[in-house]
Amino acid sequence: ETGVTQTPRHLVMGMTNKKSLKCEQHLGHNAMYWYKQSAKKPLELMFVYSLEERVENNSVPSRFSPECPNSSHLFLHLHTLQPEDSALYLCASSLIWVGGSNTGELFFGEGSRLTVL
Amino acid sequence: EDKVVQSPLSLVVHEGDTVTLNCSYEVTNFRSLLWYKQEKKAPTFLFMLTSSGIEKKSGRLSSILDKKELFSILNITATQTGDSAIYLCAVEAGDNYGQNFVFGPGTRLSVLP
């Protein structure tokens, strides 16, 4: 139990569906992340909400849209996905001490395994 | 472009062996290097290294960072089947806090009985 909870754990969707992934952290952290993990590829950072500022990886397609209503909750909204979007989507959080030299470790959730048919 | 490279990409050993996993990096404005173990889903944190030459230890695992040569190693002594996992190296870099963790491809370790 890492203190970061993701739902659903598994999701199968068609290319025309709209679904959302949810992440919740109970650690009092002030930064949350979405990562994509595909087979035989490094973890790819998709979105960061850090100190209430959103930072995006410009290579992420617009069919993925994040939402962070508060520092404890993070969503990834999915629409008109492609089969190549099938992957493990990992949420993470961290505690940023402004003025420190680094962020500290990331705490990961168990992931949401997404299959796009 | 920031880059993290790990070697070997996969490794098969027998119980009791000692293994060394390598991580090298090229990033702008290094902040820290982290090691994670990923068995099934969630990567779990092992070590964070920020200073050169200071070894961090946890049981049979140890790690050290060389900021001059831009690499780190993770050692596992007396390996056990439970050590079988993917070991991920990540580097935090960049000008802004928490916005740039770059991960390597991982080393898949298999420990045979």
Side-chain angles (χ1 to χ4, degrees):
Chain A
E1 180 61 49
T2 63
V4 180
T5 305
Q6 289 187 240
T7 54
R9 297 287 300 275
H10 299 273
L11 178 62
V12 179
M13 58 188 289
M15 290 193 285
T16 57
N17 292 157
K18 288 186 180 181
K19 298 285 184 183
S20 296
L21 307 180
K22 179 182 175 182
C23 177
E24 186 174 357
Q25 58 96 0
H26 309 278
L27 301 168
H29 288 171
N30 55 9
M32 295 189 78
Y33 311 75
W34 280 116
Y35 279 89
K36 177 183 179 182
Q37 190 173 34
S38 304
K40 299 183 180 180
K41 286 187 177 180
L43 277 165
E44 175 188 357
L45 179 64
M46 300 178 72
F47 301 101
V48 181
Y49 281 86
S50 170
L51 302 174
E52 300 184 7
E53 178 186 350
R54 172 173 147 178
V55 179
E56 359 201 327
N57 179 341
N58 290 328
S59 68
V60 176
S62 60
R63 55 186 183 267
F64 296 91
S65 61
E67 178 189 0
C68 190
N70 55 60
S71 60
S72 299
H73 294 86
L74 183 66
F75 296 89
L76 186 63
H77 302 301
L78 317 169
H79 63 97
T80 59
L81 294 191
Q82 304 297 312
E84 61 264 28
D85 297 323
S86 299
L88 180 67
Y89 290 84
L90 289 163
C91 173
S93 68
S94 68
L95 182 63
I96 297 175
W97 291 95
V98 177
S101 60
N102 61 74
T103 297
E105 67 263 35
L106 297 170
F107 290 75
F108 285 91
E110 293 287 321
S112 294
R113 172 71 63 185
L114 173 66
T115 302
V116 182
L117 301 177
Chain B
E1 184 181 338
D2 296 332
K3 187 169 63 173
V4 175
V5 177
Q6 292 185 247
S7 64
L9 293 180
S10 65
L11 186 58
V12 180
V13 301
H14 287 91
E15 274 193 316
D17 289 349
T18 293
V19 298
T20 298
L21 308 183
N22 303 290
C23 175
S24 62
Y25 59 91
E26 292 180 33
V27 300
T28 302
N29 192 18
F30 172 92
R31 292 184 176 272
S32 65
L33 185 144
L34 303 96
W35 285 98
Y36 285 85
K37 177 182 182 183
Q38 187 176 23
E39 292 180 82
K40 292 180 181 176
K41 293 285 181 70
T44 53
F45 173 74
L46 295 175
F47 299 110
M48 184 171 73
L49 304 156
T50 57
S51 301
S52 281
I54 300 175
E55 184 182 53
K56 295 218 169 176
K57 290 197 72 169
S58 177
R60 296 176 293 101
L61 278 67
S62 64
S63 184
I64 198 162
L65 173 68
D66 185 330
K67 289 169 73 174
K68 182 179 177 183
E69 301 297 330
L70 309 182
F71 77 91
S72 173
I73 59 172
L74 175 68
N75 279 320
I76 308 175
T77 59
T79 52
Q80 303 171 357
T81 54
D83 296 325
S84 297
I86 297 172
Y87 290 85
L88 299 170
C89 175
V91 174
E92 186 192 0
D95 296 329
N96 299 308
Y97 293 102
Q99 294 181 8
N100 191 15
F101 284 90
V102 183
F103 279 80
T107 293
R108 182 179 293 274
L109 175 65
S110 298
V111 182
L112 305 178

